[in-house]
Amino acid sequence: MRITKKLLTRLEGEVQLKLVWDEGKIKDAFVIVPHFRGFEKVLEGKPYLDALVITPRVCGICGHAHLIASAKAIEEVCRKAGIEFYLTEKAKTFREITLLLEILQNHVKWFYLYFFPDFFKYVGVKDEDYRPFVGKRWSEAIKASNLITKALATLAGQWPHNSYAVPGGITSDLFPAELVRASSLIKEFVKFLEERVFGISLRELLNCKTKRFLEHLRGDAKLFLEKALENGLDRAGRSYANFLTGGSVEPLIKPCVKKEKTCKFHPEWIEEKEDFSYFGKNGYTWSKAPRYRGLPYETGPLPRQYFARNPRVLYLYRNFKDSLITRVYARLEELAIFSLLVLEKVESLDLFQKSWIRPPVNTKELSGRGYGIVEAARGTLIHEVEIEKGVIKRYNIITPTAWNLGPRDEKFLGVAEKALIGLESEELAYLVLRGFDVCSVCTAH
Amino acid sequence: MKNLEKPFYEIVRELANLSDFVVALGNCAVYGNIPALKDEKIVELQFRFKEKEGLLGKDFRSKRGLPVVNISGCPAHPEWFINTLLELKHRGKVPLDELGRPKEFYAYFTHDGCIRVQYYEWKVEAEELGTKEGCLFYKFGCRGPLTHSSCNRILWNGVSSKTRSGQPCFGCTEFDFPRENLFETKLNMGIPAELPPEVSLRAYIMMAGVAKTFTPKRLKRKLIDEDNEEAPNET
Ligand code: SF4
């Protein structure tokens, strides 16, 4: 038996992959997150509004999702305490827009900067255009994702690490001209998607309801699908095919879980197992292992698009299950679907509504418990806060990457670990891991 | 960092001794910051909060003779970082403040260039969040006049900043970030408990008195009247 260890870089933080080989196949796999910062402990004892500034700092790539989760968790505490307040449509829609924008900038970076270089190496394509740092497409992708972060900053002040969502609404109060600027930035991004990623108009793509999309597609999505099929990625990377989406993306996606069939999602049924994290006795990673009714679940674009009944992703899923090809393509689809959705939402905004309505709450007296659940780039992000007399007593964060990249428990391997078993090449193992969009700083915060 | 062959800090120390310049990027590397709050073992490069120590020690100089160059901030501003690197490359030096930060970026305050600065001058407070009008220093905890940064001079993502979008400055370039009660100004008999550096209480009270007495009325009106969408022009 042979054991290999390798540090995976070009991602937010570092992840180490330990593989146990038997007769040329992976027999066991350990996804190891070696860093830990202790955000939940830092939050204890702080006035609860401080969470809005501290939790975004958990992650430099999905910090905005942490902000919205914090704001929602606090709002749920207020609601449960019987405090009546509401958000204007404008504030709600702004939050939805900025969350989606964060997903867009993430996916495009993930595809071109993190996934594609390894993918090209694995499938044996040499193309100067895609070469890290120097390739033309590489820098186009960075420029495209900058269009989105610029739009996000226009709405929310800066990206990353703003705190523009506060209980009761948002802090920014845009001029119509600023909104027009944001929307034209997003439209420019759509142009990049149409020219480079999909090679057809996004409307055309979304109108393909059958497998004919495979003939219509051009661009890098097509390149990916072709090469992936040629190289057997439709059989690599399958895991449990248990899907979980705890948040919603209005109006397309509602909270759901699926094992054999699809059911409603209840956050109270989540349990975090610690045995194989450094918090427990057999630890090898800083991540905990979240389980829903005792079982591991995958979260992220694939579950979301499955629940949204996206016909193209469903076609791949029916044929290739939860393999690497389906997982990666689902992520690409979100670029198309969410950019059109975000433009619709921008159109629907009424800027003359109020941004913020002060919740009638005495900040020194508020007590209670609440969940804030959002869909972030990598999947469902859950914040749970317990407040006592205005002070945070306990704060618990369950990140999407803890679901996907967390460790085993006494019965089940983690989702990514399971996806690696049986693979015959180390390169392929890294690629499968990349398919989950690895981020170590979230996995162990 | 657990489980790697060589401890991370050893790698950093070895590299630092080989380097022409050492640059710390972001508040964690600069001051320890959030991870260091509850963990003694967390090491930063040359300052622990504001005390000079850290992994490389207080007397550390890189091969070209500079202490660690600190680009503080959570997050650090990418443009300040890149420009510092370029300046080090082309000039071989850069003027630093007492916390090792390039003065070009940290001699300013967040307050400099904020579009609410007239409201600050005339002591017009923002009563609510989510408005274009009013200054956030008096109620909502803005640290703009006390925080060294160029956030409102070299904008974020090229377009905006926290205070421009109605958020108070949280002081994220300073060693004491995150302070407590970030959305609330601590007051002492109605006056902000912390005044901008080198502003005496006496000076502040005198200026505030004059400003409040003579506040131009236009600063009390909305910039855009919401009902008719026209800027008011009566005097
Ligand atoms: S909001 Fe803050 S930065 Fe802006 S003028 Fe007021 S005190 Fe200065």
Side-chain angles (χ1 to χ4, degrees):
Chain A
M1 227 169 8
R2 192 163 62 96
I3 293 182
T4 55
K5 278 187 189 176
K6 194 176 156 181
L7 198 64
L8 194 69
T9 53
R10 265 193 303 111
L11 49 96
E12 181 92 17
E14 295 84 18
V15 161
Q16 194 182 36
L17 188 58
K18 181 173 141 193
L19 300 170
V20 182
W21 297 84
D22 194 19
E23 294 181 1
K25 281 192 179 170
I26 295 174
K27 196 169 148 254
D28 199 359
F30 298 83
V31 179
I32 300 164
V33 178
H35 276 130
F36 174 70
R37 291 158 303 158
F39 270 82
E40 286 142 333
K41 278 270 157 297
V42 167
L43 285 159
E44 282 171 18
K46 297 251 183 204
Y48 66 85
L49 285 178
D50 286 5
L52 301 169
V53 179
I54 294 173
T55 70
R57 267 84 186 171
V58 166
C59 182
I61 193 94
C62 72
H64 199 67
H66 284 278
L67 168 71
I68 308 288
S70 282
K72 283 191 164 179
I74 295 168
E75 281 166 354
E76 192 177 290
V77 175
C78 292
R79 262 187 217 110
K80 282 191 183 158
I83 292 155
E84 264 185 53
F85 74 100
Y86 70 100
L87 265 67
T88 58
E89 272 311 306
K90 168 178 151 187
K92 259 191 248 164
T93 312
F94 255 83
R95 289 182 184 185
E96 289 168 8
I97 291 171
T98 49
L99 255 179
L100 287 170
L101 288 174
E102 185 171 75
I103 294 180
L104 291 178
Q105 64 78 32
N106 178 80
H107 285 2
V108 88
K109 279 181 195 141
W110 165 80
F111 187 57
Y112 285 104
L113 312 189
Y114 307 148
F115 183 76
F116 244 18
D118 287 12
F119 176 75
F120 272 45
K121 221 190 274 166
Y122 181 74
V123 301
V125 173
K126 280 213 177 74
D127 189 331
E128 278 303 301
D129 275 1
Y130 296 86
R131 241 180 76 200
F133 303 105
V134 290
K136 215 168 79 209
R137 193 61 53 84
W138 168 283
S139 56
E140 277 174 356
I142 291 181
K143 278 192 197 122
S145 96
N146 283 353
L147 293 170
I148 293 298
T149 50
K150 234 185 228 305
L152 222 169
T154 308
L155 270 54
Q158 70 177 72
W159 187 90
H161 297 354
N162 64 72
S163 299
Y164 99 123
V166 284
I170 54 168
T171 63
S172 55
D173 181 20
L174 257 63
F175 286 118
E178 290 170 311
L179 195 63
V180 171
R181 177 171 61 187
S183 122
S184 64
L185 289 163
I186 301 166
K187 285 178 186 150
E188 216 178 312
F189 180 74
V190 167
K191 228 167 102 195
F192 169 80
L193 296 181
E194 294 185 331
E195 279 169 10
R196 296 299 190 215
V197 183
F198 299 103
I200 52 173
S201 87
L202 299 189
R203 295 255 167 244
E204 223 176 303
L205 173 69
L206 268 46
N207 282 335
C208 293
K209 309 274 191 223
T210 65
K211 71 172 187 184
R212 279 195 13 257
F213 79 97
L214 291 170
E215 295 150 32
H216 288 280
L217 267 184
R218 301 275 173 276
D220 291 330
K222 166 100 162 188
L223 177 72
F224 163 72
L225 286 172
E226 267 177 12
K227 292 283 165 207
L229 282 171
E230 273 170 31
N231 288 276
L233 301 186
D234 50 332
R235 293 182 305 273
R238 292 183 188 181
S239 187
Y240 299 100
N242 294 349
F243 294 160
L244 182 145
T245 295
S248 47
V249 180
E250 290 298 339
L252 302 175
I253 302 161
K254 301 262 182 298
C256 281
V257 285
K258 164 216 166 265
K259 208 176 117 230
E260 272 92 41
K261 53 186 204 312
T262 302
C263 330
K264 273 178 96 177
F265 164 79
H266 301 280
E268 304 80 22
W269 292 351
I270 297 170
E271 183 197 352
E272 284 186 287
K273 307 220 174 190
E274 295 185 351
D275 275 2
F276 291 87
S277 84
Y278 287 128
F279 302 101
K281 48 189 191 309
N282 303 313
Y284 60 85
T285 175
W286 277 114
S287 174
K288 296 176 188 169
R291 295 292 181 260
Y292 187 79
R293 306 185 84 176
L295 296 177
Y297 277 83
E298 173 171 353
T299 184
L302 170 54
R304 280 197 291 253
Q305 294 310 312
Y306 176 88
F307 292 129
R309 319 281 330 141
N310 175 324
R312 296 161 302 280
V313 173
L314 282 182
Y315 170 79
L316 294 180
Y317 179 72
R318 273 195 302 271
N319 286 282
F320 311 126
K321 296 284 170 301
D322 54 338
S323 61
L324 182 63
I325 199 171
T326 320
R327 196 171 286 125
V328 168
Y329 186 71
R331 219 174 277 279
L332 287 179
E333 274 275 331
E334 288 200 337
L335 283 170
I337 293 174
F338 289 167
S339 8
L340 292 185
L341 182 62
V342 111
L343 281 172
E344 269 170 43
K345 286 180 191 284
V346 168
E347 292 298 319
S348 78
L349 278 173
D350 173 7
L351 287 183
F352 286 100
Q353 288 177 3
K354 271 198 176 328
S355 293
W356 186 65
I357 299 172
R358 186 192 290 269
V361 51
N362 178 344
T363 47
K364 305 260 167 355
E365 286 302 320
L366 184 68
S367 295
R369 240 182 70 180
Y371 285 105
I373 305 176
V374 300
E375 281 306 307
R378 290 164 187 76
T380 301
L381 170 67
I382 301 171
H383 282 204
E384 190 191 352
V385 64
E386 211 178 310
I387 300 171
E388 208 177 81
K389 293 221 169 287
V391 171
I392 296 170
K393 204 172 146 215
R394 199 178 72 93
Y395 206 105
N396 191 36
I397 300 174
I398 305 175
T399 56
T401 40
W403 289 101
N404 294 339
L405 306 171
R408 63 206 59 200
D409 58 39
E410 60 294 343
K411 282 208 201 110
F412 298 102
L413 294 178
V415 170
E417 292 177 344
K418 163 91 176 161
L420 298 170
I421 303 296
L423 298 180
E424 290 172 358
S425 115
E426 211 177 336
E427 269 68 49
L428 185 54
Y430 298 127
L431 202 58
V432 166
L433 193 61
R434 282 247 186 249
F436 288 96
D437 195 354
V438 180
C439 166
S440 80
V441 297
C442 270
T443 318
H445 28 278
Chain B
M1 201 192 218
K2 286 212 179 191
N3 221 316
L4 300 182
E5 277 65 35
K6 199 183 240 185
F8 188 55
Y9 61 85
E10 257 175 50
I11 302 175
V12 174
R13 214 180 262 142
E14 277 173 28
L15 284 175
N17 288 325
L18 297 172
S19 306
D20 284 343
F21 302 106
V22 177
V23 180
L25 178 64
N27 261 28
C28 298
V30 173
Y31 312 113
N33 210 243
I34 291 181
L37 286 175
K38 299 249 164 136
D39 190 345
E40 300 264 297
K41 296 191 296 296
I42 296 288
V43 280
E44 52 296 305
L45 287 179
Q46 207 169 21
F47 282 86
R48 187 161 192 87
F49 302 109
K50 78 175 174 206
E51 296 318 318
K52 217 168 178 189
E53 48 172 269
L55 179 64
L56 301 178
K58 63 178 192 300
D59 299 321
F60 173 83
R61 302 252 154 185
S62 61
K63 272 168 49 190
R64 299 279 295 271
L66 285 190
V68 175
V69 176
N70 286 330
I71 313 294
S72 68
C74 187
H77 195 298
E79 236 178 286
W80 316 346
F81 173 58
I82 295 295
N83 288 347
T84 303
L85 291 191
L86 290 175
E87 192 173 342
L88 287 172
K89 180 165 186 260
H90 295 298
R91 284 185 65 236
K93 57 186 177 188
V94 57
L96 302 175
D97 70 9
E98 67 281 8
L99 290 170
R101 302 175 297 192
K103 282 189 177 162
E104 291 163 59
F105 305 108
Y106 297 90
Y108 287 93
F109 292 89
T110 310
H111 184 68
D112 296 319
C114 177
I115 51 176
R116 295 168 190 268
V117 101
Q118 275 204 59
Y119 298 104
Y120 175 89
E121 268 170 27
W122 295 100
K123 306 283 167 256
V124 179
E125 314 175 3
E127 298 293 337
E128 302 282 312
L129 291 173
T131 61
K132 297 177 189 69
E133 300 83 5
C135 166
L136 302 157
F137 183 65
Y138 308 100
K139 276 202 172 118
F140 290 107
C142 187
R143 306 279 305 164
L146 298 122
T147 300
H148 296 85
S149 97
S150 286
C151 287
N152 274 311
R153 191 171 69 91
I154 302 169
L155 295 178
W156 280 88
N157 312 87
V159 288
S160 192
S161 74
K162 286 213 179 66
T163 63
R164 287 181 184 216
S165 62
Q167 303 157 64
C169 164
F170 304 116
C172 77
T173 52
E174 300 296 349
F175 70 89
D176 56 357
F177 173 78
R179 303 157 58 85
E180 218 154 276
N181 242 337
L182 291 155
F183 283 89
E184 202 180 302
T185 307
K186 205 171 155 211
L187 299 176
N188 231 341
M189 307 208 300
I191 293 166
E194 260 182 280
L195 297 176
E198 298 174 42
V199 173
S200 70
L201 185 61
R202 202 166 133 239
Y204 184 87
I205 291 175
M206 278 175 67
M207 299 217 348
V210 174
K212 281 200 163 147
T213 317
F214 298 103
T215 310
K217 280 214 190 68
R218 62 185 167 81
L219 291 179
K220 304 261 171 137
R221 287 194 293 264
K222 296 287 271 179
L223 284 165
I224 292 187
D225 188 326
E226 292 167 27
D227 298 324
N228 57 17
E229 294 194 23
E230 269 174 33
N233 52 8
E234 79 269 33
T235 37

